[in-house]
Amino acid sequence: MEYPGVCTGPALQDLIPQNRSTQWHTDLTMIDRTDSGLGEMPRKETQFTSKESPQHSIVADYTLNVPHDLKPGLDLVDTTTSGRPEDGEDGDALSALPTKLWVGIAMKICEDHAVQVGLVWHDGTTSLDFALHTVHLSQHEHQAAVRGLPIGGRTNALEDFLTITLETIARDNACRFVGAGIAPEVIRACPKLPSRLWSELDILPVALDRDSNCGDADDIADLMVRKCVLCFGPNLQPRLQIGPLGEVGVDLGGRSTFVLPERYACSVGERTMRMANHYSQSLRRKHKKLAFFTSSSQGGVARMRYGLMRFLNCMEVNCSWFVPPPKPEVNRIHERVRQVLRGGEDLHSPLTEAHMDIIDTWTHSVAESLRWTADGGPLASRSSGGAAVIVIDDFTMPALVTISKSLDPSRPVILRSHHALRHDLITAQGTCAAQEWQWIWSHVKHADLFISEPLQTHIPRIVPREKLSLMPSSIDWLDGQNKRLSDGATAFYHRDFAHHCQRQGVPHLAYPRRDYIIQTTDSETAMQDAIAAFALFRRQSRYCSGLSVQQTPQLLLCYNPSTHTTSRSQSLKRLRTSITKDYPDLANDIIISPLPPSDQTLNALLSRAHISLSLSQNPSPNPLIAQSLHKGVPCIALQTPANALQIQHARSGFLVNASDKAAEIRCVAEYMDVLFDDDERYYDMGYHGRLGLRDEVSTVGEAVCWMYLFDRMTSERKPRFDGGWVWDMAREGAGERRRRGDVELLRSVAIT
């Protein structure tokens, strides 16, 4: 069957398209749980299936006698989408949510080759119950545990036992563990346990110290769980850790090491990991200090930094990340600068010199008050213990470039820009954007390297070519938004989101009885367009024509709650009024809701969506496009340079390029019809979308680029960039030649 290219608006009809204390005595064997790498196509992410749950096989030469109620794996919820409900089926009742708890894990060495394992679970207020287990190990394993060494074997039997036991406790008590406080002796004996808790059970591990060795295993476990609870905030999210110098403590200050290097190796190709090892070894030999500066520890840029710092810590690269304390007045000015530079604000209300002085004065005061410029501080000269390379994110603190160069003129300073710029405005005389850009350029022109997104709208033409290089934004495939969730975890987050919608007073998804389309954006126009296209699809498409209302898809529109200002409230009111007036028949099938703070909720919603939309004209790359493609969910997006960089038209999604708004909406509706009506086409596009993801947009790929820059810029012979891609230079520097068939981003950006 032929499908159209970039759509110009053909006619719709022409397209076919319970709590208890226990003490158990258990002998163990080892169970091998295999993980498939990202290069393999997983089960279809848009359905719950139980056929591809983790497989288990006996790999030890001794047997396991486990009680019958200790079986690996949680009970899976029957959530198949093969059967459609009958008309009139009640979809409003919400199932109860498991209680969210924390658990403490401790271990005590016993005689007779045994280890006592203690578990205590806590509800945030008090400890609810405990369990003690006596685990018998082999002589070799027991000696290793006594000496504080990792227990040997192809897999760690104690890790398997703890993983299975936590699954069983959660199932039998109708609860879900949010975090696990783990005693140091458990970490030494089971070094892979934190990673397994995160990847298999969706539990955030927290490695904690204790004051003494006194007490039984349950006493120590109780201390661990009480300490663990303190690491979480009101929304059950890990608390931000900011040190006295403004240094960001990634992953609870390094206590939550939930990803091991071998996990990263499964997320990218072998050549990419060789490049990462090559540059990390070189940096470790040099013993250089490196420093990043961003304006905030939250937001899109900060998310990339968390993933990057997490991987660099795994590779033992000495790198730190610093942020200033928040100041509301400065934050408002920063947001206005961003809007003006991209042409989104009143062009005749210029940023005054007083505003610029506020930013510069604030930057200098932060650098002094946080002792960034004092001896040993990151901005101090290298002879005074400062960082060897400075990286400053965006234009929010441009004076840091001047400060760094004044303290150590020969030290390399890199400016990393994520801004979209209106070149016609920043180069015109008398415009607000031009005035702001002149102030920014007076600082950042002293930087040794300007790194931009590989988009023409993001590259300032005033930057000398020899100082310019390109690097795309990155995504961490192993964090909460992108890791593969089990069927049970995904079902939990869907139920949690349904309760969230109920509290908001809006309809909720009827998945898995009904499929749904998702769009996550803060743009009112993009939401209006999505609603209009969805209404046309529901009312006139071939797919929906033979279905009852209870069988047709729903539309989910999510937005960032941090943008809930007065204008946002007015925008939401207009949208809901429009739905009630223009689409009353669809009012219960269009869900507009803020996103909960949990990353895994967005992960679950994207994973089970049938289609994702990106109908915003934002010129910056939308990371949710790559995230949905990574999950095998095709995306329909507007034809913009940023979207074309991520989507292969008609292979991993559809790009819409219409002559007017009506044709654009009609085109989106037709592509919805194609992706619902043609299953073979749908699965093929999901497969190509996943395989088309490039290593250079992963956390490992970004780390390779940064480590290459740090390695070369701390060498005697500095590189010449000439507007090239950092990834290409890093690959060449590591001796990894480009091969025919390599999957990479389009190198079509013209440097002017």
Side-chain angles (χ1 to χ4, degrees), residues 292 305 391-395 413-419 447-454 458-460 463 467-473 702 705-706 708-710 713 721 724-726 729:
F292 281 90
R305 290 294 160 262
V391 181
I392 300 168
D393 267 313
D394 266 333
F395 308 133
V413 176
I414 302 173
L415 184 80
R416 173 63 162 111
S417 171
H418 305 272
H419 273 305
D448 298 270
L449 176 62
F450 190 102
I451 299 180
S452 170
E453 293 282 343
H458 288 65
I459 304 173
V463 179
K467 283 188 174 184
L468 177 66
S469 194
L470 306 179
M471 184 192 302
S473 300
E702 183 195 22
C705 293
W706 283 115
Y708 163 78
L709 292 174
F710 295 152
M713 300 191 81
F721 298 97
W725 289 60
V726 182
M729 293 183 284

Side-chain angles (χ1 to χ4, degrees), residues 31 66 209 282 333 458 483 525 558 590 657 676 687 703 722 752:
I31 299 174
V66 181
D209 294 329
S282 177
I333 298 175
H458 288 65
K483 69 174 182 175
T525 302
C558 296
I590 300 176
N657 185 18
F676 274 101
Y687 180 78
D722 290 328
T752 58

Side-chain angles (χ1 to χ4, degrees), residues 26-34 55-66 72 135-138 140-142 150-164 189-190 192 196 200:
T26 310
D27 295 325
L28 294 183
T29 189
M30 297 179 287
I31 299 174
D32 184 24
R33 299 190 178 204
T34 59
Q55 299 297 311
H56 306 88
S57 59
I58 304 299
V59 298
D61 55 2
Y62 51 99
T63 58
L64 171 63
N65 298 317
V66 181
V135 180
H136 282 266
L137 304 173
S138 67
H140 169 73
E141 291 171 333
H142 185 261
I151 297 175
R154 284 181 57 188
T155 60
N156 193 322
L158 198 55
E159 291 174 5
D160 293 321
F161 172 76
L162 287 168
T163 303
I164 295 171
C190 309
K192 295 183 180 180
R196 292 186 59 176
E200 298 177 22

Side-chain angles (χ1 to χ4, degrees), residues 19 159 166 171 437 522 644 667:
N19 292 343
E159 291 174 5
L166 290 174
R171 181 187 66 221
W437 178 250
D522 292 325
C667 186

Side-chain angles (χ1 to χ4, degrees), residues 57 220 234 296 357 376:
S57 59
I220 301 172
S296 174
D357 290 340

Side-chain angles (χ1 to χ4, degrees), residues 237-544:
Q237 298 303 299
R239 295 183 184 273
L240 292 175
Q241 305 289 316
I242 308 295
L245 296 181
E247 182 176 357
V248 180
V250 176
D251 298 336
L252 295 172
R255 291 174 293 177
S256 182
T257 306
F258 56 84
V259 183
L260 298 176
E262 50 263 38
R263 291 281 182 182
Y264 285 109
C266 294
S267 68
V268 294
E270 180 182 355
R271 296 165 62 202
T272 302
M273 280 306 299
R274 283 203 304 264
M275 293 162 61
N277 289 325
H278 171 80
Y279 290 117
S280 63
Q281 289 172 7
S282 177
L283 289 174
R284 288 197 297 269
R285 287 194 299 266
K286 291 182 176 181
H287 302 289
K288 299 292 186 178
K289 292 170 59 178
L290 313 164
F292 281 90
F293 292 86
T294 63
S295 61
S296 174
S297 59
Q298 296 177 292
V301 176
R303 174 172 290 278
M304 289 194 295
R305 290 294 160 262
Y306 277 109
L308 174 64
M309 298 301 297
R310 189 177 296 129
F311 180 73
L312 292 181
N313 289 337
C314 283
M315 305 304 289
E316 300 179 355
V317 175
N318 186 3
C319 189
S320 302
W321 172 24
F322 300 90
V323 297
K327 185 177 177 64
E329 179 186 19
V330 170
N331 292 340
R332 284 194 293 269
I333 298 175
H334 284 162
E335 181 59 31
R336 191 176 178 285
V337 168
R338 284 190 286 266
Q339 292 296 331
V340 168
L341 289 178
R342 65 195 294 179
E345 285 286 341
D346 184 2
L347 307 182
H348 303 290
S349 55
L351 193 71
T352 66
E353 292 187 4
H355 290 140
M356 302 176 193
D357 290 340
I358 289 174
I359 298 293
D360 288 343
T361 302
W362 170 76
T363 303
H364 282 84
S365 65
V366 166
E368 293 178 3
S369 62
L370 293 182
R371 299 184 61 80
W372 288 350
T373 58
D375 289 353
L379 290 179
S381 63
R382 287 167 290 183
S383 60
S384 300
V389 181
I390 302 293
V391 181
I392 300 168
D393 267 313
D394 266 333
F395 308 133
T396 50
M397 296 185 290
L400 286 183
V401 178
T402 307
I403 295 172
S404 178
K405 281 297 185 180
S406 65
L407 295 174
D408 193 342
S410 63
R411 173 175 50 193
V413 176
I414 302 173
L415 184 80
R416 173 63 162 111
S417 171
H418 305 272
H419 273 305
L421 305 172
R422 281 281 302 272
H423 293 287
D424 58 331
L425 296 178
I426 67 175
T427 57
Q429 293 293 329
T431 63
C432 178
Q435 185 178 357
E436 291 183 7
W437 178 250
Q438 289 172 5
W439 161 63
I440 292 172
W441 182 245
S442 67
H443 291 293
V444 304
K445 66 182 180 181
H446 303 293
D448 298 270
L449 176 62
F450 190 102
I451 299 180
S452 170
E453 293 282 343
L455 296 166
Q456 195 66 55
T457 55
H458 288 65
I459 304 173
R461 296 168 185 169
I462 196 174
V463 179
R465 187 183 180 96
E466 62 272 13
K467 283 188 174 184
L468 177 66
S469 194
L470 306 179
M471 184 192 302
S473 300
S474 68
I475 301 174
D476 191 345
W477 301 128
L478 303 177
D479 68 4
Q481 279 192 9
N482 300 288
K483 69 174 182 175
R484 188 180 303 175
L485 294 172
S486 68
D487 294 335
T490 307
F492 166 79
Y493 288 113
H494 268 266
R495 292 197 299 271
D496 190 40
F497 183 71
H499 284 267
H500 173 77
C501 290
Q502 187 181 54
R503 291 190 295 270
Q504 298 289 326
V506 300
H508 61 85
L509 294 173
Y511 186 84
R513 294 188 295 107
R514 300 172 67 180
D515 288 319
Y516 63 94
I517 303 164
I518 187 172
Q519 179 175 247
T520 302
T521 182
D522 292 325
S523 168
E524 180 183 359
T525 302
M527 289 186 181
Q528 291 174 337
D529 293 348
I531 293 171
F534 175 74
L536 185 61
F537 164 71
R538 281 282 301 268
R539 292 169 173 174
Q540 299 185 23
S541 69
R542 296 175 59 90
Y543 176 79
C544 295

Side-chain angles (χ1 to χ4, degrees), residues 672-736:
M672 289 179 182
D673 197 21
V674 171
L675 293 173
F676 274 101
D677 198 48
D678 191 337
D679 288 342
E680 182 179 356
R681 175 77 166 181
Y682 177 83
Y683 284 103
D684 183 62
M685 293 182 72
Y687 180 78
H688 283 291
R690 185 174 173 85
L691 292 186
L693 293 170
R694 293 85 171 172
D695 282 359
E696 57 189 309
V697 301
S698 68
T699 288
V700 180
E702 183 195 22
V704 167
C705 293
W706 283 115
M707 289 190 292
Y708 163 78
L709 292 174
F710 295 152
D711 184 50
R712 291 301 307 272
M713 300 191 81
T714 54
S715 302
E716 294 182 1
R717 186 176 180 181
K718 303 296 189 295
R720 182 179 176 89
F721 298 97
D722 290 328
W725 289 60
V726 182
W727 174 260
D728 294 340
M729 293 183 284
R731 183 165 51 186
E732 182 180 355
E736 297 288 346

